[in-house]
Amino acid sequence: MPVTAKKAQQMIMAAAEKADEIGVPMVIAVVDQGGNFVAQLRQDDALLVSVSLSWNKAYTAVAAKMSTETLGTVSQPGGPLYGIHTAENGRIVIFGGGFPIEEGGKIVGGIGVSGGSVEQDMACAKAGLAAYSS
Amino acid sequence: MPVTAKKAQQMIMAAAEKADEIGVPMVIAVVDQGGNFVAQLRQDDALLVSVSLSWNKAYTAVAAKMSTETLGTVSQPGGPLYGIHTAENGRIVIFGGGFPIEEGGKIVGGIGVSGGSVEQDMACAKAGLAAYSS
Amino acid sequence: MPVTAKKAQQMIMAAAEKADEIGVPMVIAVVDQGGNFVAQLRQDDALLVSVSLSWNKAYTAVAAKMSTETLGTVSQPGGPLYGIHTAENGRIVIFGGGFPIEEGGKIVGGIGVSGGSVEQDMACAKAGLAAYSS
Amino acid sequence: MPVTAKKAQQMIMAAAEKADEIGVPMVIAVVDQGGNFVAQLRQDDALLVSVSLSWNKAYTAVAAKMSTETLGTVSQPGGPLYGIHTAENGRIVIFGGGFPIEEGGKIVGGIGVSGGSVEQDMACAKAGLAAYSS
């Protein structure tokens, strides 16, 4: 099943609900299998930098076929992919908050969240992911 | 009243409903008073090029304090603002589908729609605008 | 059927053969349904500017769901989409040589050719397109 | 001998064969003596991020006249070229997978491979290099 607009909105709403619970406004983005934009929402007062970060986290998760957190572990100084974060004009994000959306063993899209600590971003992104399957 | 995430989503839903009525999938974007991103939705199968166009239409309407259609009339070859469409790396859009959101004589944000003919884009954007006031 | 690497190479070879026949070296690019890169070849002595042009033509054909020639007819000065060529940092091409790859009424990718006159580019792109179905 | 389109395709095919053998889809790119594009292929399901990475690895190998792996050893934090990876809008790659193509003591082009681990990328790039001389 492709990541439809409707499904993306549900994911965003679930992530936003988690953000409300945590008490930190977030920007949440969803992309499709080709890494292309589906939907994005900036909660009131969320960081401006999070607009591009959330989108790029979602994109990175699809483009690299792994979470941005995992990509971060191999791209630290001295690591095998150190320097990858400047690729595509800096569009590649190497800290947590971006996850691939998987279905039937295939990656069908990505979700990215930015606005709080990396842990908070990841918690909201996971809440969004859970809504994909529901 | 600022353009809240909630209000932006209502505008997007109203524009999307109009798009469904017309039968052409659209991308709809809403920005705030500072021209910054609030929300965006790409309906299923909407043109990829409309992702940037809709956002940029919304931005242009705030940045130039006029509709993108109006800006287009003064930026044709020979016109007073000819060439403005290349500003900000081509972010300025000079054809219809972007409108400022006005309230109490002030511009408080912008909406941009792309995906169909300019007339269809404008019709959807106006439906979105109407939802701001409702 | 997605545009596979194998199919893309066949399209490129067919377009290149046509270019040899015409006697003008070309750059030929093929993208998939999401507008993402599949394959590209620059024939010996082909124009450097054609590297990005051919890729962008292929991308534009998918992103706008029409040939770049058709897009050009509506984006001339005074036309409804005048100014669209600066979108996405100038990635949108509004002269001939880019065609969507269609199958079963759906657009599954795009081919773009650059290097000669627009007519020559289009002839080579069409030769490439024909190889998709064969 | 310049890196012709024909030679580049042979290199790509050899690298792709190695990738098939390893079982990881790759993107393979070849550039000429001027660092300019010659040919590129994205194998089915290869990472999107590898499109730019492979091209940039090939470019970097020519532009810096050394392998990307070697460049990486001198551009870690504290190293003499630390920070070089952000040059040219992030086009410079500082991990393995890009090699100069040498002939008669001169650098005549570059090959870049991306898609797997750095070791896998390098193995495929070397297979491509071997095809240059054959």
mmCIF file of all heavy atoms in Angstrom, chain C residues 26-66:
data_model
loop_
_atom_site.group_PDB
_atom_site.id
_atom_site.type_symbol
_atom_site.label_atom_id
_atom_site.label_comp_id
_atom_site.label_asym_id
_atom_site.label_seq_id
_atom_site.Cartn_x
_atom_site.Cartn_y
_atom_site.Cartn_z
ATOM 1 N N MET C 26 24.729 13.076 -27.890
ATOM 2 C CA MET C 26 23.677 13.459 -26.955
ATOM 3 C C MET C 26 23.982 12.972 -25.546
ATOM 4 O O MET C 26 24.793 12.056 -25.366
ATOM 5 C CB MET C 26 22.353 12.800 -27.386
ATOM 6 C CG MET C 26 21.861 13.189 -28.770
ATOM 7 S SD MET C 26 21.104 14.842 -28.745
ATOM 8 C CE MET C 26 20.594 14.978 -30.475
ATOM 9 N N VAL C 27 23.324 13.571 -24.585
ATOM 10 C CA VAL C 27 23.251 13.010 -23.240
ATOM 11 C C VAL C 27 21.820 12.535 -23.046
ATOM 12 O O VAL C 27 20.864 13.250 -23.388
ATOM 13 C CB VAL C 27 23.627 14.011 -22.138
ATOM 14 C CG1 VAL C 27 23.729 13.289 -20.791
ATOM 15 C CG2 VAL C 27 24.930 14.711 -22.460
ATOM 16 N N ILE C 28 21.676 11.319 -22.540
ATOM 17 C CA ILE C 28 20.358 10.697 -22.408
ATOM 18 C C ILE C 28 20.185 10.257 -20.964
ATOM 19 O O ILE C 28 21.074 9.632 -20.397
ATOM 20 C CB ILE C 28 20.247 9.464 -23.340
ATOM 21 C CG1 ILE C 28 20.616 9.851 -24.763
ATOM 22 C CG2 ILE C 28 18.844 8.852 -23.260
ATOM 23 C CD1 ILE C 28 21.543 8.863 -25.444
ATOM 24 N N ALA C 29 19.020 10.590 -20.393
ATOM 25 C CA ALA C 29 18.763 10.251 -18.990
ATOM 26 C C ALA C 29 17.401 9.602 -18.836
ATOM 27 O O ALA C 29 16.450 9.946 -19.552
ATOM 28 C CB ALA C 29 18.836 11.499 -18.119
ATOM 29 N N VAL C 30 17.304 8.688 -17.881
ATOM 30 C CA VAL C 30 16.031 8.028 -17.581
ATOM 31 C C VAL C 30 15.786 8.085 -16.078
ATOM 32 O O VAL C 30 16.696 7.819 -15.288
ATOM 33 C CB VAL C 30 16.041 6.554 -18.060
ATOM 34 C CG1 VAL C 30 14.762 5.832 -17.643
ATOM 35 C CG2 VAL C 30 16.215 6.482 -19.577
ATOM 36 N N VAL C 31 14.565 8.471 -15.700
ATOM 37 C CA VAL C 31 14.180 8.500 -14.283
ATOM 38 C C VAL C 31 12.979 7.584 -14.076
ATOM 39 O O VAL C 31 12.289 7.211 -15.033
ATOM 40 C CB VAL C 31 13.834 9.933 -13.800
ATOM 41 C CG1 VAL C 31 15.009 10.877 -14.023
ATOM 42 C CG2 VAL C 31 12.578 10.459 -14.478
ATOM 43 N N ASP C 32 12.719 7.260 -12.814
ATOM 44 C CA ASP C 32 11.610 6.357 -12.511
ATOM 45 C C ASP C 32 10.328 7.120 -12.159
ATOM 46 O O ASP C 32 10.260 8.343 -12.286
ATOM 47 C CB ASP C 32 12.018 5.368 -11.413
ATOM 48 C CG ASP C 32 12.239 6.046 -10.064
ATOM 49 O OD1 ASP C 32 11.813 7.198 -9.866
ATOM 50 O OD2 ASP C 32 12.844 5.399 -9.186
ATOM 51 N N GLN C 33 9.348 6.385 -11.685
ATOM 52 C CA GLN C 33 8.029 6.934 -11.375
ATOM 53 C C GLN C 33 8.076 8.072 -10.346
ATOM 54 O O GLN C 33 7.251 8.977 -10.374
ATOM 55 C CB GLN C 33 7.180 5.784 -10.829
ATOM 56 C CG GLN C 33 5.719 6.105 -10.694
ATOM 57 C CD GLN C 33 4.898 4.833 -10.557
ATOM 58 O OE1 GLN C 33 5.436 3.726 -10.605
ATOM 59 N NE2 GLN C 33 3.599 4.982 -10.407
ATOM 60 N N GLY C 34 9.042 7.996 -9.434
ATOM 61 C CA GLY C 34 9.165 9.027 -8.416
ATOM 62 C C GLY C 34 10.077 10.167 -8.847
ATOM 63 O O GLY C 34 10.419 11.031 -8.057
ATOM 64 N N GLY C 35 10.458 10.166 -10.127
ATOM 65 C CA GLY C 35 11.339 11.220 -10.620
ATOM 66 C C GLY C 35 12.790 10.973 -10.245
ATOM 67 O O GLY C 35 13.645 11.838 -10.464
ATOM 68 N N ASN C 36 13.075 9.794 -9.694
ATOM 69 C CA ASN C 36 14.443 9.503 -9.263
ATOM 70 C C ASN C 36 15.277 8.877 -10.376
ATOM 71 O O ASN C 36 14.772 8.151 -11.224
ATOM 72 C CB ASN C 36 14.409 8.582 -8.036
ATOM 73 C CG ASN C 36 13.889 9.316 -6.809
ATOM 74 O OD1 ASN C 36 14.372 10.381 -6.468
ATOM 75 N ND2 ASN C 36 12.868 8.753 -6.164
ATOM 76 N N PHE C 37 16.577 9.141 -10.300
ATOM 77 C CA PHE C 37 17.540 8.712 -11.295
ATOM 78 C C PHE C 37 17.579 7.193 -11.497
ATOM 79 O O PHE C 37 17.587 6.435 -10.542
ATOM 80 C CB PHE C 37 18.929 9.181 -10.837
ATOM 81 C CG PHE C 37 20.019 8.868 -11.802
ATOM 82 C CD1 PHE C 37 20.382 9.786 -12.770
ATOM 83 C CD2 PHE C 37 20.676 7.662 -11.767
ATOM 84 C CE1 PHE C 37 21.393 9.502 -13.680
ATOM 85 C CE2 PHE C 37 21.685 7.362 -12.663
ATOM 86 C CZ PHE C 37 22.036 8.288 -13.617
ATOM 87 N N VAL C 38 17.646 6.764 -12.761
ATOM 88 C CA VAL C 38 17.900 5.347 -13.052
ATOM 89 C C VAL C 38 19.207 5.195 -13.848
ATOM 90 O O VAL C 38 20.086 4.454 -13.438
ATOM 91 C CB VAL C 38 16.738 4.681 -13.809
ATOM 92 C CG1 VAL C 38 17.042 3.196 -14.024
ATOM 93 C CG2 VAL C 38 15.430 4.835 -13.046
ATOM 94 N N ALA C 39 19.319 5.888 -14.967
ATOM 95 C CA ALA C 39 20.539 5.736 -15.768
ATOM 96 C C ALA C 39 20.743 6.960 -16.659
ATOM 97 O O ALA C 39 19.779 7.658 -17.008
ATOM 98 C CB ALA C 39 20.461 4.477 -16.631
ATOM 99 N N GLN C 40 21.991 7.188 -17.005
ATOM 100 C CA GLN C 40 22.313 8.338 -17.852
ATOM 101 C C GLN C 40 23.618 8.048 -18.595
ATOM 102 O O GLN C 40 24.517 7.392 -18.054
ATOM 103 C CB GLN C 40 22.473 9.594 -16.983
ATOM 104 C CG GLN C 40 22.554 10.897 -17.780
ATOM 105 C CD GLN C 40 22.531 12.125 -16.882
ATOM 106 O OE1 GLN C 40 22.745 12.023 -15.686
ATOM 107 N NE2 GLN C 40 22.285 13.285 -17.462
ATOM 108 N N LEU C 41 23.696 8.539 -19.826
ATOM 109 C CA LEU C 41 24.906 8.358 -20.633
ATOM 110 C C LEU C 41 25.199 9.630 -21.409
ATOM 111 O O LEU C 41 24.314 10.206 -22.036
ATOM 112 C CB LEU C 41 24.729 7.198 -21.622
ATOM 113 C CG LEU C 41 25.949 6.916 -22.518
ATOM 114 C CD1 LEU C 41 27.098 6.348 -21.700
ATOM 115 C CD2 LEU C 41 25.567 5.930 -23.631
ATOM 116 N N ARG C 42 26.461 10.048 -21.328
ATOM 117 C CA ARG C 42 26.894 11.183 -22.142
ATOM 118 C C ARG C 42 27.759 10.645 -23.273
ATOM 119 O O ARG C 42 28.840 10.095 -23.035
ATOM 120 C CB ARG C 42 27.690 12.168 -21.278
ATOM 121 C CG ARG C 42 28.239 13.345 -22.060
ATOM 122 C CD ARG C 42 28.861 14.390 -21.163
ATOM 123 N NE ARG C 42 29.758 15.252 -21.913
ATOM 124 C CZ ARG C 42 31.030 15.477 -21.601
ATOM 125 N NH1 ARG C 42 31.565 14.918 -20.521
ATOM 126 N NH2 ARG C 42 31.770 16.257 -22.349
ATOM 127 N N GLN C 43 27.283 10.792 -24.473
ATOM 128 C CA GLN C 43 28.063 10.327 -25.626
ATOM 129 C C GLN C 43 29.308 11.200 -25.786
ATOM 130 O O GLN C 43 29.338 12.354 -25.348
ATOM 131 C CB GLN C 43 27.195 10.376 -26.888
ATOM 132 C CG GLN C 43 26.059 9.354 -26.856
ATOM 133 C CD GLN C 43 25.380 9.242 -28.207
ATOM 134 O OE1 GLN C 43 24.670 10.153 -28.612
ATOM 135 N NE2 GLN C 43 25.611 8.150 -28.914
ATOM 136 N N ASP C 44 30.315 10.638 -26.425
ATOM 137 C CA ASP C 44 31.589 11.353 -26.565
ATOM 138 C C ASP C 44 31.387 12.725 -27.216
ATOM 139 O O ASP C 44 30.735 12.840 -28.256
ATOM 140 C CB ASP C 44 32.566 10.520 -27.404
ATOM 141 C CG ASP C 44 32.846 9.168 -26.746
ATOM 142 O OD1 ASP C 44 32.583 9.027 -25.537
ATOM 143 O OD2 ASP C 44 33.296 8.250 -27.454
ATOM 144 N N ASP C 45 31.943 13.742 -26.578
ATOM 145 C CA ASP C 45 31.887 15.129 -27.065
ATOM 146 C C ASP C 45 30.527 15.797 -26.910
ATOM 147 O O ASP C 45 30.323 16.915 -27.433
ATOM 148 C CB ASP C 45 32.312 15.218 -28.542
ATOM 149 C CG ASP C 45 33.771 14.865 -28.725
ATOM 150 O OD1 ASP C 45 34.575 15.269 -27.869
ATOM 151 O OD2 ASP C 45 34.108 14.175 -29.706
ATOM 152 N N ALA C 46 29.592 15.150 -26.226
ATOM 153 C CA ALA C 46 28.289 15.810 -26.021
ATOM 154 C C ALA C 46 28.460 17.021 -25.107
ATOM 155 O O ALA C 46 29.352 17.068 -24.257
ATOM 156 C CB ALA C 46 27.289 14.826 -25.428
ATOM 157 N N LEU C 47 27.592 17.991 -25.256
ATOM 158 C CA LEU C 47 27.652 19.239 -24.502
ATOM 159 C C LEU C 47 27.614 19.007 -22.992
ATOM 160 O O LEU C 47 26.810 18.212 -22.504
ATOM 161 C CB LEU C 47 26.455 20.128 -24.870
ATOM 162 C CG LEU C 47 26.285 20.486 -26.340
ATOM 163 C CD1 LEU C 47 24.996 21.303 -26.521
ATOM 164 C CD2 LEU C 47 27.481 21.256 -26.843
ATOM 165 N N LEU C 48 28.430 19.740 -22.274
ATOM 166 C CA LEU C 48 28.398 19.646 -20.811
ATOM 167 C C LEU C 48 27.056 20.095 -20.253
ATOM 168 O O LEU C 48 26.544 19.521 -19.295
ATOM 169 C CB LEU C 48 29.515 20.505 -20.199
ATOM 170 C CG LEU C 48 30.945 19.996 -20.409
ATOM 171 C CD1 LEU C 48 31.927 20.970 -19.779
ATOM 172 C CD2 LEU C 48 31.106 18.610 -19.808
ATOM 173 N N VAL C 49 26.475 21.125 -20.829
ATOM 174 C CA VAL C 49 25.194 21.629 -20.313
ATOM 175 C C VAL C 49 24.096 20.587 -20.452
ATOM 176 O O VAL C 49 23.083 20.626 -19.750
ATOM 177 C CB VAL C 49 24.809 22.942 -21.031
ATOM 178 C CG1 VAL C 49 24.341 22.679 -22.453
ATOM 179 C CG2 VAL C 49 23.742 23.706 -20.269
ATOM 180 N N SER C 50 24.310 19.631 -21.333
ATOM 181 C CA SER C 50 23.293 18.612 -21.574
ATOM 182 C C SER C 50 23.217 17.572 -20.459
ATOM 183 O O SER C 50 22.230 16.833 -20.369
ATOM 184 C CB SER C 50 23.554 17.917 -22.913
ATOM 185 O OG SER C 50 23.375 18.845 -23.971
ATOM 186 N N VAL C 51 24.241 17.508 -19.616
ATOM 187 C CA VAL C 51 24.189 16.559 -18.501
ATOM 188 C C VAL C 51 23.021 16.907 -17.585
ATOM 189 O O VAL C 51 22.154 16.074 -17.307
ATOM 190 C CB VAL C 51 25.525 16.538 -17.721
ATOM 191 C CG1 VAL C 51 25.414 15.646 -16.492
ATOM 192 C CG2 VAL C 51 26.659 16.064 -18.620
ATOM 193 N N SER C 52 22.971 18.156 -17.134
ATOM 194 C CA SER C 52 21.846 18.529 -16.263
ATOM 195 C C SER C 52 20.557 18.682 -17.050
ATOM 196 O O SER C 52 19.483 18.297 -16.583
ATOM 197 C CB SER C 52 22.154 19.803 -15.471
ATOM 198 O OG SER C 52 22.382 20.878 -16.337
ATOM 199 N N LEU C 53 20.650 19.201 -18.264
ATOM 200 C CA LEU C 53 19.418 19.395 -19.052
ATOM 201 C C LEU C 53 18.696 18.077 -19.324
ATOM 202 O O LEU C 53 17.468 17.999 -19.213
ATOM 203 C CB LEU C 53 19.739 20.086 -20.381
ATOM 204 C CG LEU C 53 19.876 21.603 -20.326
ATOM 205 C CD1 LEU C 53 20.262 22.145 -21.707
ATOM 206 C CD2 LEU C 53 18.604 22.287 -19.834
ATOM 207 N N SER C 54 19.446 17.045 -19.693
ATOM 208 C CA SER C 54 18.774 15.782 -20.021
ATOM 209 C C SER C 54 18.127 15.177 -18.771
ATOM 210 O O SER C 54 16.989 14.697 -18.808
ATOM 211 C CB SER C 54 19.758 14.798 -20.652
ATOM 212 O OG SER C 54 20.825 14.508 -19.772
ATOM 213 N N TRP C 55 18.851 15.242 -17.668
ATOM 214 C CA TRP C 55 18.292 14.719 -16.413
ATOM 215 C C TRP C 55 17.044 15.531 -16.021
ATOM 216 O O TRP C 55 16.007 14.967 -15.643
ATOM 217 C CB TRP C 55 19.350 14.776 -15.314
ATOM 218 C CG TRP C 55 18.980 14.086 -14.035
ATOM 219 C CD1 TRP C 55 17.812 13.404 -13.758
ATOM 220 C CD2 TRP C 55 19.766 13.990 -12.848
ATOM 221 N NE1 TRP C 55 17.845 12.899 -12.484
ATOM 222 C CE2 TRP C 55 19.034 13.243 -11.906
ATOM 223 C CE3 TRP C 55 21.024 14.463 -12.479
ATOM 224 C CZ2 TRP C 55 19.516 12.963 -10.615
ATOM 225 C CZ3 TRP C 55 21.489 14.171 -11.201
ATOM 226 C CH2 TRP C 55 20.755 13.436 -10.290
ATOM 227 N N ASN C 56 17.157 16.830 -16.114
ATOM 228 C CA ASN C 56 16.040 17.686 -15.718
ATOM 229 C C ASN C 56 14.846 17.551 -16.664
ATOM 230 O O ASN C 56 13.697 17.684 -16.243
ATOM 231 C CB ASN C 56 16.511 19.133 -15.621
ATOM 232 C CG ASN C 56 17.455 19.333 -14.452
ATOM 233 O OD1 ASN C 56 17.545 18.483 -13.559
ATOM 234 N ND2 ASN C 56 18.178 20.438 -14.446
ATOM 235 N N LYS C 57 15.112 17.284 -17.918
ATOM 236 C CA LYS C 57 14.000 17.041 -18.843
ATOM 237 C C LYS C 57 13.257 15.769 -18.444
ATOM 238 O O LYS C 57 12.021 15.736 -18.431
ATOM 239 C CB LYS C 57 14.528 16.899 -20.280
ATOM 240 C CG LYS C 57 14.897 18.213 -20.956
ATOM 241 C CD LYS C 57 15.430 17.951 -22.379
ATOM 242 C CE LYS C 57 15.832 19.255 -23.076
ATOM 243 N NZ LYS C 57 16.335 19.005 -24.452
ATOM 244 N N ALA C 58 14.012 14.724 -18.146
ATOM 245 C CA ALA C 58 13.383 13.463 -17.723
ATOM 246 C C ALA C 58 12.585 13.690 -16.440
ATOM 247 O O ALA C 58 11.439 13.234 -16.304
ATOM 248 C CB ALA C 58 14.441 12.384 -17.522
ATOM 249 N N TYR C 59 13.193 14.415 -15.510
ATOM 250 C CA TYR C 59 12.511 14.705 -14.241
ATOM 251 C C TYR C 59 11.249 15.536 -14.464
ATOM 252 O O TYR C 59 10.182 15.242 -13.907
ATOM 253 C CB TYR C 59 13.453 15.445 -13.290
ATOM 254 C CG TYR C 59 12.743 15.942 -12.067
ATOM 255 C CD1 TYR C 59 12.368 15.063 -11.055
ATOM 256 C CD2 TYR C 59 12.376 17.283 -11.935
ATOM 257 C CE1 TYR C 59 11.669 15.507 -9.946
ATOM 258 C CE2 TYR C 59 11.679 17.727 -10.828
ATOM 259 C CZ TYR C 59 11.330 16.835 -9.843
ATOM 260 O OH TYR C 59 10.615 17.273 -8.750
ATOM 261 N N THR C 60 11.379 16.586 -15.264
ATOM 262 C CA THR C 60 10.241 17.474 -15.509
ATOM 263 C C THR C 60 9.055 16.715 -16.092
ATOM 264 O O THR C 60 7.903 16.948 -15.710
ATOM 265 C CB THR C 60 10.649 18.620 -16.469
ATOM 266 O OG1 THR C 60 11.701 19.374 -15.863
ATOM 267 C CG2 THR C 60 9.473 19.538 -16.769
ATOM 268 N N ALA C 61 9.347 15.795 -17.012
ATOM 269 C CA ALA C 61 8.268 15.038 -17.662
ATOM 270 C C ALA C 61 7.467 14.219 -16.648
ATOM 271 O O ALA C 61 6.255 14.052 -16.789
ATOM 272 C CB ALA C 61 8.842 14.129 -18.746
ATOM 273 N N VAL C 62 8.160 13.724 -15.614
ATOM 274 C CA VAL C 62 7.467 12.988 -14.550
ATOM 275 C C VAL C 62 6.800 13.962 -13.576
ATOM 276 O O VAL C 62 5.643 13.780 -13.185
ATOM 277 C CB VAL C 62 8.447 12.076 -13.786
ATOM 278 C CG1 VAL C 62 7.802 11.492 -12.538
ATOM 279 C CG2 VAL C 62 8.934 10.948 -14.691
ATOM 280 N N ALA C 63 7.520 14.993 -13.198
ATOM 281 C CA ALA C 63 7.038 15.916 -12.168
ATOM 282 C C ALA C 63 5.825 16.721 -12.628
ATOM 283 O O ALA C 63 4.965 17.080 -11.819
ATOM 284 C CB ALA C 63 8.159 16.865 -11.744
ATOM 285 N N ALA C 64 5.760 17.013 -13.924
ATOM 286 C CA ALA C 64 4.648 17.788 -14.457
ATOM 287 C C ALA C 64 3.674 16.914 -15.246
ATOM 288 O O ALA C 64 2.665 17.399 -15.748
ATOM 289 C CB ALA C 64 5.173 18.918 -15.341
ATOM 290 N N LYS C 65 4.007 15.630 -15.361
ATOM 291 C CA LYS C 65 3.151 14.680 -16.082
ATOM 292 C C LYS C 65 2.797 15.122 -17.502
ATOM 293 O O LYS C 65 1.667 14.994 -17.957
ATOM 294 C CB LYS C 65 1.872 14.370 -15.286
ATOM 295 C CG LYS C 65 2.143 13.603 -13.999
ATOM 296 C CD LYS C 65 0.860 13.106 -13.344
ATOM 297 C CE LYS C 65 1.176 12.351 -12.042
ATOM 298 N NZ LYS C 65 -0.017 11.950 -11.305
ATOM 299 N N MET C 66 3.787 15.678 -18.175
ATOM 300 C CA MET C 66 3.609 16.035 -19.593
ATOM 301 C C MET C 66 5.001 16.182 -20.196
ATOM 302 O O MET C 66 5.992 16.247 -19.479
ATOM 303 C CB MET C 66 2.822 17.333 -19.746
ATOM 304 C CG MET C 66 3.472 18.570 -19.184
ATOM 305 S SD MET C 66 2.466 20.083 -19.437
ATOM 306 C CE MET C 66 1.271 19.964 -18.105
#
